[in-house]
Amino acid sequence: PLAGPLSGKTALVTSGPTHEPIDPVRYIANRSSGKQGHAIAAALARLGANVTLVSGPVTIPDPAGVTVVRVETAREMLAASLAALPADIAVMAAAVADWRTADAADAKMKKDGSGRPPALALTENPDILATIGHHPDLRPTLVVGFAAETGNVAGYARDKLARKGADLICANDVSPEHGVFGGDANTLHLVGPDSMETWPTLSKVEVAERLAGVIAARLGE
Ligand code: C5P
């Protein structure tokens, strides 16, 4: 780790989507490039933190100076995240699939000629942020979540703070006209229990740097 305001601090960052298998060749996923989460991991490391990045399947390179743990499914992401605790900081930027198939098939599912498609039975995935935010023993000092919404951004973020046990929610508007998915820019609202800041449209790297600065300031208080 580098010398900096977060020297001696440990951080867990989740990033990317999860892939939930339907059968060996098909999966359910969320759209996520991993760019924002990876940039946050790199920015925390540049401030001196010892960072573990738990990443779902992404095509971008590993950030410099962080320990990367690769996972596929939400359940694997939860296990790897818990294994990275205790930590001072958790930033949960992954786009975790809310549901997985109740029973993934062991062999590729085939069309049966009837013209009737198979029904997928889904079951809910664990909420990694809520598990960590409400953890009785291992809750990090600062827990930061994300919220991708298509309206009422601040309102939903406030609900999410309480429900997930987070200290801060980074909320962005992902209505199609804003073009966040896979893009390089982000317009973010930083929502706390009784605060809300709206940041200018910044690159994901700049968002990461600014957020790392907020985290360092909070831990320094
Ligand atoms: O409920 P929603 O998916 O909008 O919450 C988003 C936040 O919760 C993000 O920080 C995301 O990484 C986290 N999350 C999680 N595990 C889930 C679902 C969301 O950690 N199963």
Side-chain angles (χ1 to χ4, degrees):
L2 304 171
L6 290 175
S7 290
K9 304 291 187 194
T10 51
L12 159 68
V13 180
T14 66
S15 184
T18 64
H19 285 184
E20 311 296 335
I22 295 170
D23 69 15
V25 298
R26 305 183 178 94
Y27 58 82
I28 298 169
N30 277 18
R31 274 186 212 286
S32 170
S33 64
K35 283 179 183 173
Q36 187 63 78
H38 279 51
I40 291 165
L44 292 170
R46 284 196 296 274
L47 294 187
N50 196 327
V51 181
T52 299
L53 172 64
V54 179
S55 176
V58 296
T59 56
I60 59 174
D62 288 354
V66 315
T67 301
V68 181
V69 181
R70 295 172 176 287
V71 298
E72 294 267 332
T73 68
R75 286 183 295 174
E76 290 166 6
M77 186 171 278
L78 174 63
S81 297
L82 290 173
L85 301 180
D88 300 294
I89 303 155
V91 182
M92 313 310 271
V96 182
D98 287 321
W99 302 281
R100 66 177 181 272
T101 51
D103 278 303
D106 295 327
K108 184 180 176 189
M109 293 162 68
K110 304 296 257 181
K111 285 182 277 192
D112 66 6
S114 72
R116 278 178 284 113
L120 285 183
L122 300 181
T123 189
E124 202 165 305
N125 265 331
D127 190 311
I128 302 162
L129 171 56
T131 302
I132 286 176
H134 292 298
H135 202 290
D137 315 310
L138 293 171
R139 186 188 189 279
T141 307
L142 197 62
V143 176
V144 182
F146 273 74
E149 306 290 358
T150 53
N152 186 23
V153 171
Y156 287 132
R158 286 263 152 68
D159 294 346
K160 212 156 278 187
L161 271 175
R163 195 152 36 79
K164 308 245 185 183
D167 300 295
L168 287 172
I169 292 283
C170 303
N172 48 35
D173 193 326
V174 294
S175 309
E177 63 272 21
H178 288 85
V180 177
F181 287 130
D184 287 313
N186 214 349
T187 311
L188 195 133
H189 311 272
L190 191 64
V191 184
D194 30 49
S195 62
M196 153 134 160
E197 282 176 37
T198 297
W199 291 357
T201 300
L202 298 169
S203 74
K204 288 180 177 175
V205 170
E206 290 166 328
V207 165
E209 266 159 9
R210 194 161 170 159
L211 181 62
V214 168
I215 289 169
R218 285 265 187 143
L219 285 183
E221 273 164 18

